[in-house]
Amino acid sequence: MSVSNLTESQRRAVDELFRRLAPVADELGELFVARGHELALVGGSVRDVFLGRIGNDLDLTTDARPEQVLEIVKDWADAVWTIGIDFGTVGVRKGGWLLEITTYRTESYDPASRKPDVEYGDTLDGDLARRDFAVNAMAVRLPSHEFVDPHGGLPDLAAKVLRTPASPEQSFDDDPLRMLRAARFASQLGFSVDAGVVEAMAEMAGRIEIVSAERIRDELDKLLLGARPRAGLSLLVETGLAAHVLPELPKLRLEIDEHHRHKDVYEHTLIVLEQAIGLETGGPDRVLRWAALLHDIGKPKTRRNEPGGRVSFHHHEVVGAQMTKKRLTELRFPKDVVADVSRLVELHLRFHGYGTAGWTDSAVRRYVRDAGHLLERLHKLTRADCTTRNKRKAAALSRTYDQLEERIARLAEEEELAKIRPELDGNEIQEILGLPPGPVIGQAYKHMLEIRMDEGVIGKEAARESLLKWARDNDLLP
């Protein structure tokens, strides 16, 4: 199919791409042709053109081997990198464009290995046939601008459906990670998944075990940061894939929540995730979304049947935080992400004590201090966690949290809550007690921090007297 076979709107999209990309695309294409090689824009870069999303990162494919690609671009590119060269990919920067040029290839998994075996191919059609979905198996040859679509990707794009170029069974056997990609694209693009593809995902779900934790993490992360994560997560659960990559999620379907207001904790979790997304500012928030997804995963382990047919989940936030840390660590997330998400899960119920008993200023200070840099995210997670259908109750919870935020703001103005420190620093404590640095000074510092949290600012002299009394009570002074 050539560009002339496209509809008017599709032709305009291609023309806009090459208006922006020229002369980079044509220059590079001519360089490859001059050396006797082919070059084509391919995959997501072509798909996104028809979706009206033209970025500066482009994927290209060629029959040239990586060492030949390096030779062709060495005097043309502004920068070259070879981090993916073992998989046939050479990275190139030209002006504001970032290009990844990959040799035609096929790849498959040995049953005993977590790494795919990569073999180079010789034709563009062969390369497109091995790609994950038909919407990603379109190409535009360079520099001729010939549009190539052997697997009907353009009609699929119009129908917003995901099909595999080969049979789903063959495609997923070649690379099981494609099953997760189907869920990811359902989230990112809002596409439905062909019934045959869904059936193959369910039958072959266990095959995902061969894929490395890092590759699974990347797909799950992209799914969760997509525009419609519920669609992708639901597909993972329904096909059984979630049981292998995020087993805590499907287990929530078995747990009715303590208020009997929701279908189950799984449904509640998806609603909390959607409501947290609705509170985001400045784009997708990885930490907030993962915390929303995992905030109740401790409930199955802590479920108890209570008198009157009620169900309780006491301390599920503590258990959930431990489970969150374990799961995210196994998925090889960075330590700061693991720590932040786990902390939010641990703190997500803290607010409910404020609504039932009221808090002193000391309790508000502790809430802020314990949340630290996560305070704004904790505000959003706590608000998102209200999924009651009782409008009166929901309004009351919202008003109560408004009051807490107002108190935090007032105290913050007065005391700089986020920077609370004892009124006496370590050097002053040593001088007053006449002791050298050591464990006792550390204990004294913690005591003075408790005084600061409980009583606020009391002044240096009162702080000194409190320290001396503590020291005498603990037999630290004559």
Side-chain angles (χ1 to χ4, degrees):
M1 180 183 292
S2 68
V3 174
S4 60
N5 297 118
L6 303 178
T7 67
E8 182 62 30
S9 62
Q10 292 165 348
R11 190 181 303 111
R12 283 199 302 269
V14 174
D15 288 344
E16 172 62 15
L17 169 68
F18 286 105
R19 185 189 66 78
R20 286 190 54 199
L21 190 53
V24 172
D26 291 343
E27 282 183 1
L28 191 56
E30 288 167 0
L31 285 176
F32 274 76
V33 169
R35 300 291 186 93
H37 293 291
E38 300 176 351
L39 184 69
L41 190 68
V42 73
S45 296
V46 178
R47 179 200 70 216
D48 287 348
V49 169
F50 297 117
L51 292 176
R53 307 185 314 186
I54 304 176
N56 291 328
D57 295 356
L58 300 175
D59 295 325
L60 299 108
T61 188
T62 180
D63 62 335
R65 299 302 190 253
E67 62 275 10
Q68 295 172 318
V69 173
L70 289 173
E71 182 66 24
I72 293 170
V73 303
K74 68 177 183 179
D75 296 326
W76 178 82
D78 296 330
V80 176
W81 57 95
T82 59
I83 191 170
I85 200 165
D86 289 343
F87 296 96
T89 299
V90 174
V92 172
R93 179 173 61 80
K94 181 69 171 180
W97 296 95
L98 297 177
L99 317 175
E100 286 197 345
I101 307 171
T102 301
T103 302
Y104 298 156
R105 66 187 186 186
T106 60
E107 59 185 43
S108 60
Y109 277 83
D110 184 292
S113 173
R114 285 184 175 269
K115 293 183 178 180
D117 295 324
V118 176
E119 295 183 4
Y120 296 133
D122 297 313
T123 67
L124 177 60
D125 282 352
D127 181 82
L128 296 178
R130 66 94 189 163
R131 291 184 175 262
D132 52 7
F133 301 104
V135 295
N136 295 329
M138 300 180 287
V140 178
R141 291 184 183 275
L142 301 175
S144 67
H145 301 183
E146 177 192 357
F147 178 62
V148 182
D149 183 19
H151 302 286
L154 201 56
D156 282 3
L157 201 61
K160 296 186 176 181
V161 64
L162 294 174
R163 289 184 308 105
T164 53
S167 72
E169 292 80 7
Q170 179 183 335
S171 181
F172 297 154
D173 193 55
D174 287 345
D175 185 355
L177 190 68
R178 291 171 178 170
M179 295 185 286
L180 289 189
R181 286 196 194 123
R184 189 243 290 186
F185 286 130
S187 169
Q188 287 183 328
L189 303 177
F191 284 16
S192 63
V193 182
D194 177 77
V197 174
V198 174
E199 184 178 348
M201 290 170 66
E203 292 176 354
M204 302 178 67
R207 196 75 173 106
I208 198 67
E209 297 281 354
I210 202 66
V211 181
S212 70
E214 290 83 357
R215 297 185 80 203
I216 290 172
R217 173 204 62 209
D218 290 346
E219 291 300 324
L220 289 176
D221 202 40
K222 291 173 183 176
L223 184 164
L224 199 60
L225 295 178
R228 303 167 187 83
R230 174 191 277 264
L233 293 168
S234 297
L235 184 60
L236 293 184
V237 171
E238 290 164 8
T239 58
L241 273 165
H244 297 277
V245 299
L246 199 62
E248 297 81 3
L249 186 60
K251 288 180 180 179
L252 295 178
R253 291 186 299 174
L254 307 177
E255 306 301 325
I256 305 301
D257 87 335
E258 63 267 40
H259 305 297
H260 297 270
R261 303 294 189 191
H262 308 290
K263 179 180 178 182
D264 52 20
V265 179
Y266 169 71
E267 177 64 19
H268 163 78
T269 294
L270 295 181
I271 294 172
V272 171
L273 174 59
E274 290 176 326
Q275 294 186 164
I277 291 171
L279 296 173
E280 288 176 337
T281 55
D285 185 329
R286 170 177 286 103
V287 169
L288 177 62
R289 292 195 184 194
W290 275 104
L293 181 65
L294 302 177
H295 78 285
D296 273 349
I297 62 171
K299 281 189 171 180
K301 284 191 176 182
T302 58
R303 185 185 186 196
R304 298 290 182 272
N305 294 319
E306 304 290 354
R310 292 178 64 82
V311 177
S312 68
F313 304 96
H314 295 307
H315 306 300
H316 76 268
E317 73 280 12
V318 177
V319 173
Q322 295 167 348
M323 293 172 64
T324 295
K325 183 176 182 180
K326 182 175 184 293
R327 174 55 54 203
L328 296 186
T329 299
E330 289 180 353
L331 287 171
R332 307 290 194 271
F333 273 92
K335 291 182 178 179
D336 60 330
V337 174
V338 175
D340 286 351
V341 175
S342 301
R343 188 60 167 160
L344 283 174
V345 172
E346 182 181 2
L347 294 175
H348 82 272
L349 283 186
R350 181 77 67 86
F351 157 72
H352 293 283
Y354 180 84
T356 57
W359 284 357
T360 62
D361 284 353
S362 172
V364 175
R365 294 186 193 101
R366 291 179 188 279
Y367 186 77
V368 173
R369 181 174 178 84
D370 288 349
H373 70 283
L374 297 170
L375 182 61
E376 287 303 316
R377 287 185 172 118
L378 182 57
H379 288 334
K380 294 173 182 176
L381 178 59
T382 301
R383 290 184 181 276
D385 196 25
C386 175
T387 61
T388 177
R389 296 172 184 171
N390 185 320
K391 293 183 179 180
R392 188 181 309 170
K393 182 176 181 181
L397 285 170
S398 181
R399 284 195 303 271
T400 303
Y401 206 84
D402 288 343
Q403 293 168 7
L404 175 58
E405 288 200 65
E406 289 168 4
R407 286 186 66 187
I408 289 172
R410 175 176 57 80
L411 287 172
E413 288 181 6
E414 297 173 359
E415 306 180 23
E416 292 187 286
L417 283 182
K419 301 178 181 178
I420 285 181
R421 299 289 185 274
E423 289 188 74
L424 302 174
D425 63 25
N427 292 330
E428 291 171 315
I429 291 171
Q430 292 176 50
E431 182 179 349
I432 292 169
L433 297 183
L435 296 174
V440 172
I441 299 301
Q443 295 169 20
Y445 186 90
K446 289 181 180 178
H447 170 73
M448 296 310 300
L449 180 58
E450 291 297 314
I451 295 296
R452 176 71 174 80
M453 297 292 289
D454 289 338
E455 302 180 28
V457 178
I458 60 176
K460 289 280 190 179
E461 187 56 35
R464 181 178 184 279
E465 290 302 319
S466 179
L467 174 63
L468 290 172
K469 181 179 183 304
W470 173 83
R472 287 192 292 269
D473 291 344
N474 287 275
D475 297 324
L476 297 176
L477 292 178

